[in-house]
Structure formats: structure tokens, C-alpha cells
Amino acid sequence: MASTKKKAFRKHWEYYLLLLLPVAWYVIFQYLPMYGVQIAFKDFNPVKGISGSPWAGLKHFQDFFDAYYFSRLITNTILLSLYNIIFAFPVPIMLAILINEIRGNVMKKLLQNVTYIPHFLSVVVVTGMIYTFLHPDTGVVNNIIKWFGLEPFAFMQSPEWFRTIFVTSGIWQEAGWSAIIFLAALAGINPSLYEAAKIDGASRWQRIRYISLPGIMPTIIILLILRIGHVMDIGFEKALLLQNSLNAESSDIIQTFIYQTGIQKGRYSFSAAIGLFNSVINFVMLIVANYIARKKSDTSLW
């Protein structure tokens, strides 16, 4: 048995060599940092280090659960994530089907490029554009509102508008890029199925419903499971840049709170406990979503 393994290793050593780099990356950047997770259960003192700091048990978790802002952070985080799944997740699917149905190559490539470009803008630029467009005095949106004889509105100072602005700007920036994987899945559908459907008199909508959507359904399920597995990870940078004291009622999410307490206030153990709590929820949601997908369909991560 041992000699067989040695022969197999010698025969495929190039593949093992290629595997070495990603394995090293995972070990160094994903697994070794887990050692630091223990500060969530300690009163971390930078002078004493991780191993020398005294144990605190679940004190930091309990402090977070008992805090008056706990329900607001959880509600804001879950609502933003839920809106992203309900409104933002289907858009790339619809966009990919729309591009796939366009027959003219010029128009198809033009639409693809126009929708891809926003992805390459940095979050700082996007938030700057949002502030510029929605400015109460000089913003394009408020100029249009004033043109209709209405009063301008301070969108960025309103907690009621934060979630709408956050989700719609995310759709604008990422829909085209996210549609790439669905376009690849659509390209893998056998063209003879469409030809047979045309011969049988199926309309375009019927071809989408009975061929395109079932053809990319495994891809949709896998990406939905992965999205649910990051239900508590919304987009820290944009939320922080769009946040101000007037819209904090809606914009204060767990990730921005971790930054404010951990980095700005130096409460490392407390923020580590919140981050660990966040990761556990993501892990549980991933397991549940995968379990439901495996029970209801033939597609799952494992």
C-alpha cells in the first residue's frame, strides 16, 4: 500500500506542488489567525499578550447580549441582509437571462460592458457619488424633485432611506459582475433544447421558464447557500462610509460596531467576542441552508 502511494506521488508530483501554495495560504492566513480567537474569552492585555492575559469566560458575550444596542444591531444587520437577498440576489439572474435572450452581439456586449463597469469603482467613489447625487441643494435627485415643484429631501440624514440607498446602490454596482456566473451557466445549456422548444411552438417566456431557469437552477441554489452563509456580512466599508449620526438608527450594524469598539476604542476582547458571535451565526445559517437545499433538491454544497 505504501509503495503504491509513493508511486502515485511520484507520478503526480506536479499536482501536489501546485496544491502546496493554496494550502500554505489557507494555513497561514485562515487557520493560524484562529489562535487569536481566544481573546474573546479573555481580558486581553497587549502588554501580557494573548497567552498571558487572564481568562474572562463568557463575560464579553454576556455584556454584548445585555447591552441596550444589541437588538438594534441585530435588527439592522438582519434587515439589510434580508433586503439584499430578496431584492439584490435575483437581479443578476434576470440580467443574465436578459443578456442571453438578446440576439444582436453588439447590443449584448454593450449591455454587458455597461453593467460590468460599476463593479470596478471603489467603495469610496461609489459613496461619494451617492452623497453627490442625493445632496439636498445640488444633487441630481433633489433637482428633479424640485423641478416637479416638491421640496428637496435630505436622504442621507434620514434613517428610513438608508436601507433603500444601500441596497439599490449595491444592485447598481454588482449586478452586472454577479451576472457573469449565470451567463456561464446559461452557456452550458444544450442549444438543441431551445431548438426543439421552438419547433414545438414554445414562446420565449416558455423557453426561459422551462429551459433556462431549470438549467441554471443548481448554480442559483449554490450561490444562494453561499449568500445565506454570509448573512451577517453585509459590506462593512460602504455601511461605515454612508453612516452618520442622523441615520445611525438604521445604519448601525454589527460590523461597523466591531470597528468602532475594537479599533477606535481598543476593546479588543469585546469586539472579538462580537465577531465570533457573528461568525457562529453565519456558520449555523450555512449549515441550515445547505440542509434545506439537500432535502428539497439534488443540489447542495456537500
Side-chain angles (χ1 to χ4, degrees):
M1 182 63 74
S3 61
T4 306
K5 288 183 178 178
K6 285 181 181 177
K7 287 180 181 177
F9 180 79
R10 286 171 185 166
K11 185 178 181 181
H12 304 294
W13 67 272
E14 299 96 338
Y15 300 115
Y16 291 107
L17 188 63
L18 287 174
L19 191 62
L20 189 62
L21 191 59
V23 168
W25 185 89
Y26 268 98
V27 171
I28 295 171
F29 295 106
Q30 299 292 328
Y31 285 94
L32 290 182
M34 287 186 187
Y35 172 76
V37 171
Q38 61 178 297
I39 71 170
F41 304 95
K42 290 188 169 188
D43 284 326
F44 177 66
N45 186 328
V47 177
K48 296 179 180 177
I50 294 176
S51 58
S53 299
W55 290 97
L58 300 176
K59 183 184 78 172
H60 301 297
F61 293 92
Q62 194 62 48
D63 289 346
F64 180 56
F65 298 150
D66 294 339
Y68 70 94
Y69 43 74
F70 174 75
S71 59
R72 187 174 80 171
L73 292 173
I74 294 293
T75 303
N76 288 341
T77 304
I78 291 178
L79 280 180
L80 267 182
S81 186
L82 196 62
Y83 291 161
N84 267 325
I85 291 174
I86 294 174
F87 297 108
F89 185 78
V91 174
I93 301 170
M94 294 188 285
L95 181 61
I97 291 174
L98 172 66
I99 293 173
N100 189 59
E101 289 297 318
I102 295 175
R103 292 292 167 255
N105 285 331
V106 175
M107 183 59 70
K108 182 183 288 189
K109 289 180 180 178
L110 178 65
L111 182 58
Q112 282 181 288
N113 288 325
V114 168
T115 53
Y116 290 169
I117 289 173
H119 170 77
F120 297 101
L121 298 176
S122 74
V123 177
V124 176
V125 173
V126 171
T127 52
M129 291 170 66
I130 292 172
Y131 274 109
T132 302
F133 292 156
L134 299 179
H135 193 279
D137 299 323
T138 59
V140 175
V141 175
N142 272 309
N143 282 334
I144 295 173
I145 290 174
K146 285 187 279 188
W147 188 74
F148 282 102
L150 301 173
E151 290 294 322
F153 188 78
F155 291 96
M156 297 309 299
Q157 282 76 46
S158 172
E160 294 81 11
W161 278 94
F162 178 80
R163 295 183 186 118
T164 304
I165 294 167
F166 189 92
V167 174
T168 52
S169 61
I171 292 174
W172 170 76
Q173 189 179 13
E174 297 296 338
W177 182 258
S178 301
I180 292 175
I181 193 164
F182 296 111
L183 282 168
L186 285 166
I189 298 175
N190 191 341
S192 63
L193 295 175
Y194 290 104
E195 296 301 325
K198 282 182 185 177
I199 294 171
D200 290 340
S203 64
R204 177 165 290 189
W205 167 244
Q206 288 173 323
R207 294 198 295 272
I208 292 172
R209 181 179 177 185
Y210 296 109
I211 300 175
S212 298
L213 280 175
I216 63 173
M217 191 54 69
T219 306
I220 294 173
I221 292 173
I222 291 295
L223 291 181
L224 183 60
I225 293 171
L226 293 174
R227 181 66 193 84
I228 293 174
H230 289 277
V231 69
M232 304 299 279
D233 300 331
I234 298 169
F236 154 75
E237 296 92 348
K238 194 167 76 172
L240 184 69
L241 291 170
L242 291 176
Q243 190 177 70
N244 56 58
S245 57
L246 297 175
N247 64 22
E249 183 182 335
S250 295
S251 62
D252 207 9
I253 60 175
I254 288 179
Q255 289 174 308
T256 58
F257 185 75
I258 291 173
Y259 169 76
Q260 289 160 358
T261 55
I263 304 299
Q264 295 182 332
K265 298 180 181 177
R267 300 179 64 187
Y268 303 113
S269 294
F270 184 63
S271 58
I274 302 171
L276 185 58
F277 166 75
N278 209 41
S279 300
V280 169
I281 292 180
N282 282 338
F283 179 72
V284 171
M285 291 301 295
L286 177 68
I287 298 294
V288 171
N290 189 70
Y291 175 78
I292 294 173
R294 193 170 64 241
K295 288 292 181 183
K296 299 295 182 183
S297 69
D298 296 328
T299 305
S300 63
L301 290 177
W302 62 84

